[in-house]
């Protein structure tokens, strides 16, 4: 098993490298065409690396859970998800809950055919999913930062792996997405990094999405969506900044939060 402390310490570095790869890709275009098209150049990742846990890599899993602790029921899955997903205080000093502060139990977020996000009833094979929404208010000469933490527990590794595959491919289908009617996420690009690729040693698989968020007619702001899988558990964070927040600061905030949820997952699923 990979040393957990080493993997978690290096997680934000790995995500920053991935973020720079995405940024470098967007810089290759003279106009916005490739960023908006979801073309292979915008996606950046070679197919062998971009397929989450698709058998193209010989790397082994970063963590083997105690089989007796892996959730098999919705009740156990819900208990695990709610214990893993971050509350406002877990993000750092000054963070408070948004309104609403949590998702509706028994649902998860789905990107529909119109590229709009909506809550739907959990499908067969998903035991539980919990989302919490937090915010760092305006202060210190910087605009507000909005964050989301999500933990989803599947009935099988295959189901969790499929969620990572879908996440990676959704950007190709919907390079522009609408979280709400008055919000847009544009110029989205995705990068998949399975365990053992690009020094990624903290999760069985991971996906980074990068783009820009525009809400309520305001200026475009950096947006990051980070997803990682350990066995049957998928954790994710989104980070949206405002004036005064750099993309690097947002990536560090998000990746440290992701590492915290991965650590919690390991702690709850490892044997004594």
């Amino acid at each position: 098993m990979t040393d957990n402390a080493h993997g978690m310490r290096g997680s934000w570095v790995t995500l920053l490298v991935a973020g720079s790869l995405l940024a470098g890709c967007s810089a290759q275009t003279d106009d916005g065409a490739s960023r908006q098209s979801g073309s292979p150049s915008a996606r950046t990742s070679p197919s062998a690396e971009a397929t989450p846990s698709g058998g193209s890599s010989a790397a082994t899993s970063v963590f083997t859970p105690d089989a007796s602790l892996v959730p098999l029921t919705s009740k156990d899955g819900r208990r695990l998800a709610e214990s893993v997903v971050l509350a406002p205080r877990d993000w750092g000093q000054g963070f408070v809950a948004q309104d609403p502060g949590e998702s509706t139990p028994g649902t998860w977020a789905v990107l529909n055919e119109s590229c709009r996000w909506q809550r739907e009833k959990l499908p067969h094979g998903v035991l539980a999913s919990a989302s919490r929404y937090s915010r760092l208010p305006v202060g210190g000469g910087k605009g507000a930062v909005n964050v989301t933490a999500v933990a989803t527990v599947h009935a099988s590794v295959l189901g969790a792996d499929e969620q990572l595959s879908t996440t990676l491919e959704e950007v190709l289908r919907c390079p522009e997405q609408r979280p709400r009617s008055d919000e847009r996420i544009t110029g989205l690009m995705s990068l998949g990094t399975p365990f053992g690729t690009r020094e990624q040693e903290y999760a069985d698989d991971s996906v980074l999405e990068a783009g820009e968020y525009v809400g309520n007619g305001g200026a475009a702001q950096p947006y990051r969506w980070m997803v990682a899988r350990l066995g049957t558990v998928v954790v994710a964070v989104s980070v949206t900044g405002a004036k005064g927040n750099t993309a690097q600061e947002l990536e560090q905030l998000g990746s440290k939060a992701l590492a915290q949820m991965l650590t919690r997952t390991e702690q709850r699923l490892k044997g004594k």
Side-chain angles (χ1 to χ4, degrees):
M1 173 178 154
T2 300
D3 177 66
N4 182 55
H6 168 76
M8 294 309 171
R9 282 199 302 269
S11 65
W12 72 268
V13 176
T14 303
L15 282 164
L16 287 179
V17 170
S20 66
L21 287 172
L22 290 176
C25 171
S26 64
Q28 295 173 3
T29 62
D30 294 328
D31 54 28
S34 290
R35 291 191 59 187
Q36 296 295 332
S37 67
S39 64
S41 63
R43 191 180 186 186
T44 78
S45 52
S47 58
E49 294 178 348
T51 304
S53 303
S56 59
S57 173
T60 57
S61 173
V62 64
F63 170 67
T64 301
D66 184 329
S68 67
L69 299 177
V70 175
L72 299 177
T73 67
S74 295
K75 181 180 179 180
D76 290 341
R78 185 165 56 252
R79 183 183 298 112
L80 175 61
E82 291 178 350
S83 69
V84 167
V85 70
L86 301 186
R89 64 181 180 277
D90 299 318
W91 285 90
Q93 186 176 0
F95 277 89
V96 297
Q98 296 188 43
D99 184 18
E102 298 185 356
S103 59
T104 303
T107 68
W108 73 339
V110 175
L111 188 66
N112 67 19
E113 294 301 317
S114 300
C115 298
R116 293 177 180 271
W117 285 98
Q118 60 188 30
R119 303 294 303 187
E120 293 186 0
K121 183 179 179 181
L122 292 176
H124 177 73
V126 179
L127 300 179
S129 185
S131 300
R132 287 181 180 147
Y133 315 107
S134 305
R135 176 182 177 88
L136 181 63
V138 175
K142 297 183 178 182
V145 175
N146 292 311
V147 297
T148 298
V150 186
T152 302
V153 182
H154 293 259
S156 68
V157 171
L158 182 62
D161 188 63
E162 180 63 25
Q163 182 180 346
L164 269 289
S165 298
T166 299
T167 299
L168 186 65
E169 294 164 358
E170 281 176 337
V171 170
L172 299 179
R173 177 170 68 88
C174 296
E176 179 171 318
Q177 303 173 6
R178 289 188 174 272
R180 300 178 181 84
S181 60
D182 60 346
E183 299 175 339
R184 290 183 300 126
I185 302 171
T186 65
L188 276 170
M189 296 175 288
S190 62
L191 185 66
T193 311
F195 174 70
T197 303
R198 303 188 193 95
E199 300 182 1
Q200 196 275 83
E201 297 180 345
Y202 59 88
D204 292 334
D205 208 348
S206 68
V207 173
L208 169 66
E209 291 183 7
E212 294 183 330
Y213 167 89
V214 181
N216 298 315
Q221 304 296 341
Y223 169 84
R224 297 294 184 267
W225 176 243
M226 305 173 182
V227 189
R229 177 180 70 81
L230 278 180
T232 62
V233 181
V234 176
V235 295
V237 299
S238 71
V239 183
T240 304
K243 184 177 180 180
N245 298 291
T246 68
Q248 185 178 42
E249 288 173 335
L250 299 180
E251 283 159 4
Q252 288 189 26
L253 175 66
S255 58
K256 288 178 181 179
L258 193 72
Q260 188 174 350
M261 287 199 289
L262 288 170
T263 297
R264 288 182 176 184
T265 301
E266 285 202 14
Q267 290 172 342
R268 285 155 180 76
L269 294 181
K270 69 181 179 181
K272 296 182 179 179

